[in-house]
């Protein structure tokens, strides 16, 4: 693969927030998973476990999780960030404003923004959801490895014309998901990935987030012209 092709793949990937109901064929899902597992992991531990829903099981889960999220207390396995400040808060706010503007939510309309947020638990209409978990005993380094897996998954999906969105929101209700998927208590629920084919006509898919310039987050040590 040429660098230009890889860079184009990265640019094509986006967080899809509206899906068509069409299912992804089983062999395509297998291709995505097989490609994603080739990412590196510490000592090749491959700590990820993935539970994938299809068909009516996705519909059952989305209905039950949505109802639970309307009333249940948030108890994620991994604590939420303690704060977003500075440039991180600015980027987070910009992303939220882009989303709300795309779907016609006015600034300050908390009811409408809450409704849009709840679409996380409908998986944005996706026909599939993949739940990513890791052994609790491996701690933060397993989380890093699984982050690499999520990247591999989303890029492989994009290469096959499948849209996706990694979701921390669904893990707010970790005990519910643990019961639903019959997961043992020694696994940490890290994130979900909703995936399927993008609804290109939906306004929520009409914006793209930007990326910070390198000089904002890279520090070079040594002569800049050294080769």
């Amino acid at each position: 693969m040429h660098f230009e092709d890889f860079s184009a793949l990265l640019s094509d990937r986006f967080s899809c927030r509206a899906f068509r109901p069409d299912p992804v064929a089983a062999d395509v899902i297998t291709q995505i998973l097989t490609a994603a597992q080739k990412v590196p992991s510490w000592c090749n531990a491959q700590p990820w476990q993935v539970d994938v829903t299809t068909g009516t099981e996705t519909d059952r889960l989305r209905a039950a999780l949505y109802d639970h999220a309307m009333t249940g207390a948030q108890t994620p396995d991994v604590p939420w960030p303690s704060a977003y400040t500075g440039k991180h808060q600015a980027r987070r706010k910009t992303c939220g404003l882009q989303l709300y503007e795309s779907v016609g939510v006015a600034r300050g309309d908390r009811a409408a923004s809450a409704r849009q947020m709840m679409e996380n638990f409908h998986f944005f209409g996706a026909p599939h959801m993949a739940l990513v978990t890791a052994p609790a005993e491996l701690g933060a380094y397993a989380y890093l490895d699984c982050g690499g897996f999520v990247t591999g998954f989303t890029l492989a999906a994009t290469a096959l014309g499948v849209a996706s969105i990694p979701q921390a929101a669904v893990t707010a209700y970790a005990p519910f998901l643990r019961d639903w998927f019959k997961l043992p208590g020694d696994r940490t629920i890290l994130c979900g990935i909703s995936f399927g084919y993008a609804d290109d006509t939906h306004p929520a898919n009409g914006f793209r987030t930007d990326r910070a310039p390198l000089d904002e987050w890279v520090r070079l040590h040594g002569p800049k012209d050294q080769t």
Side-chain angles (χ1 to χ4, degrees):
M1 173 181 279
H2 295 292
F3 172 78
E4 290 77 11
D5 297 325
F6 179 63
S7 182
L9 179 63
L10 288 167
S11 296
D12 287 345
R13 189 216 62 80
F14 71 101
S15 292
C16 182
R17 292 181 174 86
F19 293 86
R20 305 200 313 264
D22 316 61
V24 178
D27 63 321
V28 175
I29 296 176
T30 297
Q31 283 183 277
I32 293 170
L33 293 168
T34 302
Q37 74 174 146
K38 292 182 172 67
V39 300
S41 60
W42 193 352
C43 300
N44 197 36
Q46 304 173 60
W48 43 81
Q49 176 176 305
V50 185
D51 288 83
V52 180
T53 66
T54 63
T56 56
E57 185 62 15
T58 305
D59 293 331
R60 283 203 324 120
L61 175 58
R62 89 169 90 244
L65 181 59
Y66 187 92
D67 287 347
H68 183 78
M70 292 291 288
T71 59
Q74 294 192 5
T75 50
D77 282 352
V78 180
W80 299 137
S82 59
Y84 284 89
T85 60
K87 59 190 176 184
H88 306 116
Q89 171 62 0
R91 294 169 189 161
R92 182 173 183 261
K93 182 177 180 180
T94 297
C95 178
L97 290 174
Q98 285 181 286
L99 170 60
Y100 295 144
E101 183 177 348
S102 73
V103 295
V105 175
R107 289 197 186 196
D109 189 341
R110 294 184 179 276
S113 60
R115 284 194 298 272
Q116 177 60 39
M117 184 279 294
M118 289 296 294
E119 284 303 303
N120 276 283
F121 307 108
H122 278 153
F123 313 138
F124 301 106
H128 308 281
M129 197 277 282
L131 187 71
V132 181
T133 67
E137 66 182 6
L138 296 185
Y141 288 96
Y143 307 169
L144 290 173
D145 290 341
C146 288
F149 176 85
V150 171
T151 298
F153 184 105
T154 60
L155 291 178
T158 300
L160 291 168
V162 176
S164 62
I165 179 169
Q167 293 176 269
V170 298
T171 67
Y173 304 100
F176 172 92
L177 294 171
R178 183 169 284 107
D179 290 345
W180 186 276
F181 288 103
K182 297 179 172 58
L183 297 170
D186 62 357
R187 294 203 69 83
T188 301
I189 296 174
L190 295 177
C191 76
I193 310 172
S194 293
F195 67 100
Y197 296 104
D199 179 354
D200 294 324
T201 67
H202 197 286
N205 289 333
F207 76 95
R208 297 292 182 270
T209 53
D210 62 7
R211 294 297 182 267
L214 265 62
D215 61 8
E216 199 173 293
W217 57 276
V218 177
R219 297 193 303 166
L220 294 175
H221 300 264
K224 294 183 179 180
D225 59 350
Q226 184 173 326
T227 59

